[in-house]
Amino acid sequence: MDFLLLQKVLLSLIAAAIAAVVVSKIGGRPRNMPPGPFTLPIFGSWFQVGNNLDHHDFIRYAKKFGHVFLLRMGQRRIAVVSSPELAKEVLLTQGKEFGSRSRNIVYDIFTGKGQDMIFTDYGDHWRKMRRIVTVPFFTNKVVRQYSGDWEAEAAAVVEDMRNNTAASTEGVVLRRRIELMVYNIVYKIMFNKKFKSEQDPLYVKLKNVNGERSGLGQSRNYNFGDFVPIFRPFLRGYLNKCKEVTRRRLNLYKDSFVEARKKIASTEATDKNLLKCGIDHFLECQANGEINEDNVLYIVENMNVAAIETIVWTLEWAIAELVNNPETQNKLRAELDNVLGPNKQVTEPDTHKLPYLQSVLKETLRLRMVVPCLVPHMNLQKANLAGYEIPAESRIFVNAWWLANDPAQWKKPEEFRPERFLEEESNVEVNGNDIKYIPFGVGRRSCPGITMAMPIMSITLGRLVQNFELSPPLGQSKIDTAENNGQFVSRLSNHSTIVLKPRNII
Ligand code: HEM
């Protein structure tokens, strides 16, 4: 309903905008700002550019306006950076100046205006939150402590697929089982909690409410109201829905997980063997006054998004590429067989001895980068970039996908070819040692989850390929790899059915 009304009002606003530009004669931009499309008062370039901004659109503008351009979209200023030199400047050299986060009106709701860690400004609160979350999640000790669980979770996926006759005949939507695996991995670290199956009622509830949040947050349909405040009344229904989903989500975390854990911890307080998990640590930080209860819930919120979705989407992309590139899949299987032998299932320490497996993951993260322009950065103060003035509180997108797919930097970047990471790009690592390849970002706001994401994905992918031949359903030569690009993520549009033919060697 809101959208119908919006359509009617738009026409009159267009007329008003044209009148405004004639009267004001102030179209254009101050001289030393980066170039960009023509702007109108109030609306900026919104009429020409529209709502659907993704990394591919940014490449088109970069070709027209250069390695840094500025989009004035209503009240928002969006600076997009598309060269390795300027990415380095934003993320490293001026990492502090550009180290805050830009939130839109929906993320203001999801994060209580930055009471979380991911979407908060650079400063004391961010430093404190990052330090607190690092202890239970982001150290090598965590990898040592939990890698056995990750292996067991991957083994359970393999077992379920072997026991499911549909998997080897018409095929199954493998992503669904992988999603349960990743939830179990993250919830084990956070709450020492495991969901029994895809049908576990609490799991269903949790997955649904997280899915609602993801859909609402990543949709680009609300951009018009974020860009142009006078349109905001048309978003009232949408924003109310975001508030309602946020309330339900935070309540679910609190009632079903945080409070449940407090009860377990109090009844088993005398048990010296009680495994300390993430939430125990966060609650201790709350008890000693470092953070408040809302901060605790927002940390849980952040982990539900940052840790789970990214790993699930990347694994889904990797599986899709292996299905569509059977030679690569065979080569990977040969490496696993040769290095590990027929009876050994891949474990975390093995992943370091499997360069082709690492290259398959690197190539997936290059071509199918799930956060293609990083999480939007922001400069709190007016800043200078490449001789241009970047107005305070600009949203800064670093087009990491373009850096990793620019034909001037990469040989045939459109091809899925893991070999590149063993040949001409053999020095390029996932940790951002070369700025042209930064799927996890680099610098102060880079992804701390890299330490666990890489082993989890390596173990899972390795075990799937060791145990099954993965192929499209009968009658299909490839699975669909259409992209669905959101506010700042890129995932597969359709969750494909995959046939998993068991191998009999193990
Ligand atoms: C931030 C990618 C997994 C937690 C980021 C950023 C990227 C990214 C690109 C933004 C960097 C920037 O803006 O400069 C990925 C990818 C993953 C992954 C590709 C897996 C395939 C994880 C996991 C966790 C995690 C498993 C947690 C366990 C975070 C957090 C931030 C972040 C907390 C915000 C850091 C900050 O603002 O200081 N991630 N991530 N990520 N990621 Fe990840």
Side-chain angles (χ1 to χ4, degrees), residues 268-430:
E268 296 178 19
T270 48
D271 181 356
K272 294 272 182 298
N273 296 321
L274 182 73
L275 180 72
K276 190 170 172 186
C277 60
I279 197 68
D280 301 335
H281 175 69
F282 305 146
L283 289 171
E284 268 171 32
C285 294
Q286 183 190 336
N288 68 25
E290 279 188 90
I291 50 174
N292 62 32
E293 186 185 12
D294 286 346
N295 299 143
V296 172
L297 293 178
Y298 285 118
I299 291 175
V300 175
E301 174 326 304
N302 277 183
M303 291 304 118
N304 270 274
V305 182
I308 296 174
E309 291 187 333
T310 47
I311 294 184
V312 174
W313 292 334
T314 303
L315 279 172
E316 199 179 13
W317 276 122
I319 292 163
E321 289 297 351
L322 289 177
V323 168
N324 287 349
N325 295 280
E327 280 174 20
T328 306
Q329 190 186 143
N330 289 337
K331 201 167 163 184
L332 173 56
R333 191 170 296 113
E335 179 185 73
L336 289 156
D337 286 352
N338 290 338
V339 174
L340 301 178
N343 298 315
K344 167 92 166 67
Q345 296 282 293
V346 61
T347 61
E348 192 281 323
D350 298 327
T351 61
H352 308 283
K353 301 184 286 193
L354 296 161
Y356 198 67
L357 173 62
Q358 295 308 317
S359 302
V360 168
L361 273 173
K362 281 178 172 176
E363 183 68 341
T364 304
L365 289 162
R366 183 192 68 80
L367 190 61
R368 307 302 196 170
M369 208 178 272
V370 290
V371 198
C373 293
L374 311 184
V375 180
H377 284 236
M378 196 254 277
N379 51 316
L380 281 171
Q381 313 294 333
K382 186 168 83 179
N384 185 292
L385 190 63
Y388 293 116
E389 179 188 316
I390 308 294
E393 300 191 7
S394 293
R395 183 171 297 166
I396 316 288
F397 281 114
V398 173
N399 197 340
W401 187 86
W402 175 241
L403 303 185
N405 286 269
D406 177 358
Q409 301 277 347
W410 300 80
K411 210 161 102 187
K412 295 195 179 157
E414 68 290 351
E415 285 180 4
F416 184 82
R417 188 172 59 85
E419 288 75 8
R420 74 178 76 244
F421 287 103
L422 300 172
E423 296 167 10
E424 74 272 18
E425 309 293 353
S426 61
N427 293 326
V428 176
E429 300 298 338
V430 281

Side-chain angles (χ1 to χ4, degrees), residues 91 101 117-120 126 130 133 137-138 186 302-303 306-308 310-311 314 365 370-371 373-377 438-442 444-450 452-453 456-457:
L91 300 172
R101 293 282 191 212
M117 169 193 168
I118 302 178
F119 285 94
T120 199
W126 168 75
R130 190 149 169 152
V133 183
F137 272 99
F138 305 135
V186 173
N302 277 183
M303 291 304 118
I308 296 174
T310 47
I311 294 184
T314 303
L365 289 162
V370 290
V371 198
C373 293
L374 311 184
V375 180
H377 284 236
I438 47 168
F440 292 92
V442 69
R444 290 170 173 74
R445 298 306 290 256
S446 67
C447 178
I450 187 172
M452 60 185 278
I456 291 168
M457 296 192 297

Side-chain angles (χ1 to χ4, degrees), residues 55-118:
H55 51 294
H56 301 298
D57 300 311
F58 289 156
I59 295 167
R60 277 192 293 110
Y61 288 112
K63 286 185 176 158
K64 193 163 175 196
F65 296 111
H67 287 157
V68 53
F69 62 87
L70 188 74
L71 297 173
R72 286 164 65 185
M73 307 292 284
Q75 65 164 359
R76 305 281 186 203
R77 290 179 160 84
I78 302 178
V80 183
V81 163
S82 314
S83 74
E85 296 73 26
L86 292 184
K88 191 171 169 202
E89 188 71 21
V90 167
L91 300 172
L92 295 170
T93 319
Q94 295 196 60
K96 220 166 163 175
E97 289 79 352
F98 290 106
S100 287
R101 293 282 191 212
S102 166
R103 294 183 304 269
N104 62 35
I105 40 175
V106 166
Y107 281 80
D108 264 348
I109 296 171
F110 289 159
T111 66
K113 295 200 169 154
Q115 294 182 65
D116 66 332
M117 169 193 168
I118 302 178

Side-chain angles (χ1 to χ4, degrees), residues 157 174 178 319 460-468 470 500:
V157 173
L174 179 55
I178 290 194
I319 292 163
T460 310
L461 208 59
R463 291 209 176 199
L464 284 172
V465 173
Q466 270 186 308
N467 288 281
F468 302 101
L470 308 165
L500 297 103

